[in-house]
Amino acid sequence: MRTVRAWLMRLAGLVDRGRRDRELAAEIDSHLQLHIDDHVRAGMAPDEARRRALLAFGGVEAMKEEYRDRRGLPIADAAWQHLRQAVRQFRREPGFTLTAMLTLAVGVGVNTAMVGLVDALMFRPPDHIVSPDRLVSVEHVANYVEFSALRDRARTLDVAALTRPTPLSLGLGAGASEVRTECVTPGYFPLLGVAPAFGRAFTAADDRRGSPPTVLLSDGLWQRQFAGNPAAIGSTVLLAGRSYGVIGVAPRGFAGVHMNRVDAWILIAISPEACSFTGTNLLAESGAAWLDTIGRIRDGATLAEAEAEVASVDPEARRVGAARAHQELEPLYASRTTLSRQNRLALWLAGGAAIVLLVACANVAGLLSIRAIDRRREVAVRLQLGATRGHIVRQVLTEHLLLAAASAVVALGMAAWIGVLVEPFFPAVTAETMLNARLFAMLGVCALVAGLLSGVVPAIQTSRADATRLSRSGHAATREHSAFRSSLLVAQVALALALMVGAGLFVRSVANLRKDLGFDLDHVVVATVNLQKAGIEKPADVRSAFDLLLARVQEVPDVERASLTSGSILDTGGAMTVTAFSPDAISNPLSGATVTQVSTDYFSTLGTRILRGRAFTDADNASAAPVMIVSESLARESWPGEEAVGKCEKLGRERTCTLVVGVSESRRLDSMTETSRELFVPMAQSRDMSEVPQMLLVRPRTSPRRALASIAAAVRGASPTLPFVDVRPLSDLANDQTQSWRLGAAMFGLFGAAAVALAAIGIYASLAFSIRRRTTEIGIRMALGAMPGDIVRTVMRRGLALVGVGWAIGAIAAFWTSRSLDALLFGVGPYDAATFAAASAVVILAGLAGCLVPAARAVRVDPVIALRHE
Amino acid sequence: VGDKTDVWQGTLALMVLKTLETMGPLHGYGIARRIEQTSGDRLSLNYGTLYPALLKLEQEGCIASEWGVSDNNRKAKFYRLTRAGRKQVERGTREWERATDILASFLSTEKPS
């Protein structure tokens, strides 16, 4: 107890030293005075009295020193001294300090952001969910019938079902907007352990047939739509044409079980039409697969017990037997480490960031090493004055840690900025969830490691200053460290090259994705509207609504042509196929092809060329003979070596055959990577009446961006009963598809640029330093008649040698690593010569720039001044 | 210094506390003089060494200090014993007696002949 108190007091003794020092001095004075008084009273002369008093007291300064040590904490005191001196040192060299600090900040910031991203994507359970480790995904229960059976029978686990977020129209007419809605069962929120921030969650009563529809809003939607007003609860919103009572608001940051963006939650049983993919009621269908089922294993039950129970409910599992039993349940948040394309990209980015950190450390280590040589004289003097080597090392390490701490602050801002930058690419991650306590800890560790990594060798170098040699001559042994510095520079060049190659491969992938798509990405506007979900159920009504939209758009002066399509662009997921017409048509050469109903100007609107035969005309109507157009890829596959135009084939169960009148160019639709086997029929000849238009394609006369507003106004204002119409340039839709490539290109580009810049700075600093050291030598050479060219050559030789070696090593490294990038690329091999050449050019040019500036300075050395300098 | 004994490590604190217990509040010079007198001038004490010891005792909460005025009208910092200090005197005295006892009986053992 007494010791604790004493330590606390000593800690307090660290502050307010000035006052404490004055008080001690006063106490000593008073002591001496009292002693002198005693002596004088005994008859001593005042001078002699003073001398005796001082003698009896002992060494005043030594005592003060001891007193001060006792008062505070000597270690903290020393650290404080080091710190103050470090600050003074940095003030004296602001250029060096700023460069080193920003360099470290770039490395640490980039790294922190990327580690945060990977953490949020793959390792951290989502916010607000209680004990996520007990949550499982029930793999084979995928429709409402199976789900109800499991829910009613399961004893070992609680279950809930949900759909993937579906876009639903909020409101009608021109003011409508779109909300991503997750359809759930009432067990969803209690199962996750998520309580609404306001209002209440769903109850069993809400789920009963005939109950008024209810909706739970996300925090984001609540802020947007109701400005965060709690009065929203109890009001109603119009969702997909129906009125829903708002019962609650989900907590901020809760983004559903899959960590997607979700704006609202509604109940499956109350709104089956709005929830199902196609707009039809799927509650009673047992064969379909449209639901995700999740479960929480009840307390006391084990995963194995739950597995067995689920297997006993799943009829298919019963048939196949126990062999499948172990695939029934999958831990919901453990499986995230499986490498989805997105997660793999995140890992690569983290790797890239680590390289940037390494480059930054190498760079700072180089700078510090140069500085170590610069400071040798000072250090030598301090060693001669009695400072210990340990003292010097501690001093230098303090400086480096201070540098790291300062850079950590800048890095924090940088990490936040990168977080905002990558946020749109990863729906599961928000900049807010990325920046949390774990990340701050990470940042601290990262900065500390960076500070030590870049500081240890220079610290030892500094302390090794040889007193006798140095005091004789200001600069000795400059060569000594050049091996260390050279290898750092080589490493920087090599790593920069590897990053640039990565960036180049991604850039080429993005470029390739947009090339030869088979349609015109940059000159089309797409309007999507799901009328069935808005309660317009009769196909005839949907058709007439789309006809109205088409007519309205064609009136817009900016519009060149427009067309309707039943399918969607870039995604064949929900499209009809030929087998859908006829399950037994295995012998049909067109089996499995995607069927799209299109209106007349479809091909010219999209810019898809007709290679042979003709496009559809207005004459291809219901009264004419049925015709179709096949894609080149389908034609080649169905009739290899034969001309497709003129073939006549039955589509499914139809009695008459449909004549192929044209062959269109192949298109890459799915994720823009796969060539699709496609078949088109005129909308006017539609036989399956349930197939309705889904998209309006518009080719404006001007750029899509400029025409967007007028097109959107025309379609959204077409009718006051229309739900939200999503009007976007086609290239925007494509951007969603290509985002992983674009992100890769952007981030690797950013990292590569940072690394190249750092390497150039490193080379520049190193050469500039060596020239400064050799000013005298250069001066003598020039005085002896050396030409400027000779000087430049000498300087450049070393720099270029470094760049050359770095380039060679980097090329090998890039060659080695880019192989595993293959899966993330498109249309470009990992050993793309052009990419390697371009990346090499960038790195070598940057290196050259780093050499040229100091070389030019060397030439300007005035021999007279240089010689007088010594 | 000759035949004077240096103050043993650790005993100074106890002497200071005991002095304050007997004399009441006292300034540093007074404490030093008192210790010298009590020892019959057999102890040699650099007065200066007293102050770090006083600081340590104060940090431990055994004594408290405040500025006051001495008998002959000089400003001086006075130290007084606290409750914890009083306990510490008792404990220190007991420990010291035990230690001297042990040492005394140890030293008085006759050499076996």
Side-chain angles (χ1 to χ4, degrees):
Chain A
M1 193 48 221
R2 270 195 306 139
T3 354
V4 175
R5 189 194 144 90
W7 277 100
L8 287 176
M9 297 295 290
R10 292 177 79 164
L11 215 57
L14 286 174
V15 296
D16 208 4
R17 292 149 200 267
R19 188 183 60 79
R20 287 166 201 267
D21 276 349
R22 279 196 300 279
E23 189 172 342
L24 177 62
E27 192 170 10
I28 293 170
D29 266 357
S30 127
H31 175 106
L32 292 174
Q33 204 54 57
L34 288 167
H35 202 169
I36 293 167
D37 284 353
D38 272 3
H39 282 313
V40 170
R41 227 175 295 135
M44 207 178 279
D47 279 358
E48 177 63 6
R50 179 164 191 82
R51 202 184 65 81
R52 295 281 283 271
L54 279 170
L55 207 61
F57 193 84
V60 174
E61 285 312 312
M63 173 263 169
K64 276 188 180 167
E65 200 59 43
E66 196 188 336
Y67 192 91
R68 278 197 206 104
D69 280 356
R70 182 71 228 174
R71 187 177 64 199
L73 296 166
I75 297 172
D77 255 3
W80 179 243
Q81 289 292 333
H82 283 314
L83 206 61
R84 277 168 45 143
Q85 205 190 335
V87 171
R88 234 176 293 139
Q89 188 72 39
F90 285 146
R91 276 225 194 112
R92 229 174 307 167
E93 19 188 46
F96 157 80
T97 309
L98 213 62
T99 312
M101 191 192 73
L102 290 180
T103 302
L104 274 184
V106 167
V108 172
V110 159
N111 226 28
T112 309
M114 288 304 119
V115 168
L117 179 67
V118 171
D119 183 41
L121 275 180
M122 297 170 69
F123 300 111
R124 204 144 38 88
D127 292 340
H128 302 294
I129 293 180
V130 175
S131 47
D133 50 312
R134 309 271 305 164
L135 292 179
V136 290
S137 156
V138 184
E139 296 289 299
H140 299 293
V141 178
N143 61 58
Y144 199 74
V145 177
E146 287 171 10
F147 165 74
S148 312
L150 180 64
R151 180 193 55 200
D152 296 341
R153 291 180 51 178
R155 296 286 166 268
T156 52
L157 76 171
D158 297 308
V159 289
L162 63 144
T163 62
R164 298 272 151 170
T166 330
L168 292 184
S169 176
L170 178 69
L172 285 180
S177 61
E178 193 171 61
V179 293
R180 284 166 60 86
T181 311
E182 209 169 56
C183 298
V184 298
T185 55
Y188 180 81
F189 284 95
L191 184 133
L192 296 178
V194 175
F198 291 99
R200 60 176 180 87
F202 297 113
T203 62
D206 293 327
D207 204 39
R208 223 163 279 142
R209 227 152 231 283
S211 299
T214 47
V215 62
L216 213 102
L217 307 179
S218 74
D219 183 78
L221 182 60
W222 180 51
Q223 300 288 354
R224 275 205 305 280
Q225 206 69 24
F226 293 98
N229 187 351
I233 290 155
S235 65
T236 58
V237 293
L238 200 64
L239 265 185
R242 261 175 107 187
S243 162
Y244 284 73
V246 178
I247 58 166
V249 177
R252 186 175 165 74
F254 177 66
V257 69
H258 293 300
M259 301 191 294
N260 272 315
R261 205 194 91 216
V262 181
D263 297 316
W265 289 267
I266 60 176
L267 290 170
I268 293 171
I270 299 300
S271 319
E273 295 85 2
C275 291
S276 81
F277 187 79
T278 52
T280 51
N281 185 345
L282 285 169
L283 279 188
E285 250 179 76
S286 62
W290 59 290
L291 275 185
D292 286 346
T293 303
I294 56 169
R296 177 184 289 280
I297 298 171
R298 286 185 188 161
D299 289 340
T302 64
L303 184 66
E305 286 165 14
E307 289 263 12
E309 187 178 49
V310 173
S312 73
V313 177
D314 183 351
E316 198 186 337
R318 244 176 317 183
R319 211 175 331 118
V320 183
R324 247 194 48 190
H326 284 289
Q327 298 160 6
E328 291 295 336
L329 300 179
E330 197 75 51
L332 200 53
Y333 292 113
S335 56
R336 271 191 307 160
T337 41
T338 52
L339 291 180
S340 70
R341 162 177 204 85
Q342 200 189 43
N343 289 2
R344 203 157 23 176
L345 180 67
L347 277 183
W348 269 100
L349 292 181
I355 294 182
V356 174
L357 181 64
L358 279 182
V359 170
C361 283
N363 198 304
V364 173
L367 288 175
L368 289 171
S369 172
I370 288 173
R371 188 161 155 276
I373 297 169
D374 263 355
R375 282 178 67 185
R376 290 188 137 198
R377 189 174 226 164
E378 171 212 331
V379 169
V381 170
R382 284 172 61 186
L383 282 174
Q384 276 178 332
L385 289 177
T388 61
R389 233 171 260 290
H391 184 90
I392 303 281
V393 170
R394 274 199 301 278
Q395 175 63 46
V396 175
L397 275 180
T398 307
E399 284 171 20
H400 297 173
L401 289 180
L402 180 66
L403 202 63
S407 70
V409 176
V410 181
L412 184 64
M414 180 132 182
W417 176 67
I418 294 177
V420 174
L421 217 63
V422 300
E423 196 184 52
F425 295 95
F426 296 89
V429 180
T430 63
E432 280 167 45
T433 56
M434 254 175 73
L435 295 175
N436 56 7
R438 274 162 76 135
L439 199 70
F440 289 136
M442 176 67 216
L443 181 86
V445 171
C446 211
L448 197 70
V449 168
L452 289 177
L453 209 63
S454 55
V456 168
V457 174
I460 294 168
Q461 285 175 348
T462 311
S463 75
R464 231 189 256 143
D466 185 328
T468 46
R469 257 203 301 168
L470 280 166
S471 29
R472 243 184 288 124
S473 136
H475 46 82
T478 42
R479 300 229 156 219
E480 193 176 310
H481 305 318
S482 68
F484 174 65
R485 276 187 285 125
S486 299
S487 51
L488 288 179
L489 289 175
V490 165
Q492 286 182 51
V493 172
L495 293 173
L497 179 68
L499 280 178
M500 280 316 265
V501 168
L505 290 176
F506 273 107
V507 169
R508 301 253 319 187
S509 294
V510 175
N512 286 337
L513 275 172
R514 299 180 65 91
K515 256 191 329 208
D516 305 323
L517 273 175
F519 55 93
D520 201 344
L521 204 53
D522 294 317
H523 296 102
V524 180
V525 173
V526 180
T528 320
V529 56
N530 194 326
L531 294 167
Q532 281 171 307
K533 282 194 182 172
I536 303 174
E537 281 163 24
K538 281 196 212 127
D541 293 345
V542 175
R543 275 162 204 278
S544 58
F546 264 99
D547 286 341
L548 173 73
L549 290 183
L550 186 60
R552 279 297 160 83
V553 161
Q554 279 164 340
E555 284 165 16
V556 175
D558 268 352
V559 170
E560 188 181 323
R561 49 171 62 93
S563 167
L564 298 175
T565 170
S566 69
S568 58
I569 293 279
L570 303 175
D571 176 20
T572 54
M576 288 288 185
T577 55
V578 171
T579 36
F581 285 92
S582 155
D584 54 2
I586 296 165
S587 59
N588 191 321
L590 300 175
S591 175
T594 308
V595 182
T596 313
Q597 300 187 16
V598 300
S599 68
T600 312
D601 279 337
Y602 180 79
F603 293 100
S604 52
T605 305
L606 264 182
T608 301
R609 285 171 300 152
I610 299 294
L611 301 177
R612 296 187 293 281
R614 63 171 176 89
F616 295 134
T617 64
D618 288 334
D620 297 318
N621 55 28
S623 54
V627 292
M628 64 173 158
I629 289 173
V630 295
S631 72
E632 166 74 22
S633 52
L634 181 63
R636 213 172 28 231
E637 204 177 299
S638 303
W639 299 287
E642 296 176 51
E643 178 50 61
V645 177
K647 296 276 178 198
C648 199
E649 200 65 49
K650 286 178 189 165
L651 292 180
R653 267 174 248 164
E654 288 172 6
R655 281 213 204 100
T656 53
C657 71
T658 304
L659 183 70
V660 177
V661 293
V663 174
S664 64
E665 74 182 300
S666 304
R667 309 192 294 183
R668 288 198 322 268
L669 298 184
D670 274 327
S671 310
M672 298 169 69
T673 53
E674 305 287 327
T675 304
S676 305
R677 300 166 67 239
E678 290 185 285
L679 180 160
F680 306 90
V681 294
M683 204 163 262
Q685 294 185 341
S686 172
R687 287 137 280 200
D688 182 355
M689 286 310 287
S690 73
E691 263 293 82
V692 292
Q694 290 185 344
M695 271 187 173
L696 179 67
L697 304 169
V698 187
R699 174 177 280 263
R701 282 178 218 283
T702 56
S703 81
R705 298 244 167 253
R706 280 173 60 191
L708 197 63
S710 52
I711 294 171
V715 292
R716 287 184 186 150
S719 157
T721 58
L722 214 56
F724 175 73
V725 188
D726 186 23
V727 183
R728 291 205 283 168
L730 184 55
S731 54
D732 272 16
L733 295 181
N735 281 348
D736 291 350
Q737 301 282 334
T738 57
Q739 58 166 265
S740 64
W741 285 282
R742 287 188 303 129
L743 178 68
M747 296 314 283
F748 266 97
L750 194 70
F751 297 169
V756 167
L758 289 180
I761 291 172
I763 291 170
Y764 164 78
S766 181
L767 288 187
F769 167 75
S770 78
I771 285 165
R772 191 146 45 88
R773 291 271 142 191
R774 289 165 60 191
T775 307
T776 319
E777 180 204 324
I778 293 170
I780 292 172
R781 281 195 190 197
M782 287 178 78
L784 292 179
M787 288 288 111
D790 300 330
I791 305 293
V792 171
R793 223 168 295 137
T794 342
V795 174
M796 297 282 281
R797 199 178 296 141
R798 169 153 180 267
L800 287 184
L802 291 177
V803 174
V805 175
W807 173 82
I809 294 175
I812 295 168
F815 206 68
W816 193 256
T817 49
S818 58
R819 207 171 26 169
S820 37
L821 258 180
D822 202 14
L824 292 173
L825 303 176
F826 179 78
V828 54
Y831 309 126
D832 184 53
T835 306
F836 267 78
S840 303
V842 170
V843 170
I844 290 174
L845 280 178
L848 210 59
C851 295
L852 269 175
V853 179
R857 194 175 293 168
V859 174
R860 283 201 301 273
V861 166
D862 184 336
V864 181
I865 294 173
L867 292 174
R868 205 180 287 150
H869 171 74
E870 195 58 1
Chain B
V1 196
D3 52 351
K4 287 191 177 178
T5 315
D6 283 337
V7 176
W8 305 295
Q9 204 74 48
T11 56
L12 185 60
L14 187 56
M15 288 185 206
V16 170
L17 291 176
K18 190 70 192 172
T19 305
L20 287 176
E21 191 185 41
T22 349
M23 305 290 293
L26 210 57
H27 45 68
Y29 173 67
I31 298 172
R33 291 291 296 164
R34 170 75 191 172
I35 289 175
E36 256 182 1
Q37 285 163 7
T38 314
S39 70
D41 286 336
R42 279 172 298 169
L43 276 181
S44 140
L45 183 67
N46 257 350
Y47 292 172
T49 57
L50 190 66
Y51 288 93
L54 284 170
L55 177 65
K56 181 168 186 277
L57 285 171
E58 194 174 2
Q59 283 172 344
E60 289 172 352
C62 294
I63 58 175
S65 70
E66 76 192 311
W67 285 89
V69 180
S70 75
D71 299 341
N72 48 351
N73 245 352
R74 293 277 183 201
K75 255 188 82 179
K77 199 175 182 184
F78 282 78
Y79 294 86
R80 63 178 173 78
L81 211 55
T82 62
R83 198 201 298 265
R86 248 171 257 286
K87 276 193 208 139
Q88 184 57 25
V89 178
E90 279 172 37
R91 197 178 315 135
T93 312
R94 261 202 319 275
E95 274 167 19
W96 187 250
E97 279 167 354
R98 207 165 53 218
T100 44
D101 260 11
I102 294 168
L103 203 58
S105 58
F106 194 79
L107 293 174
S108 62
T109 332
E110 298 278 321
K111 216 190 217 175
S113 49

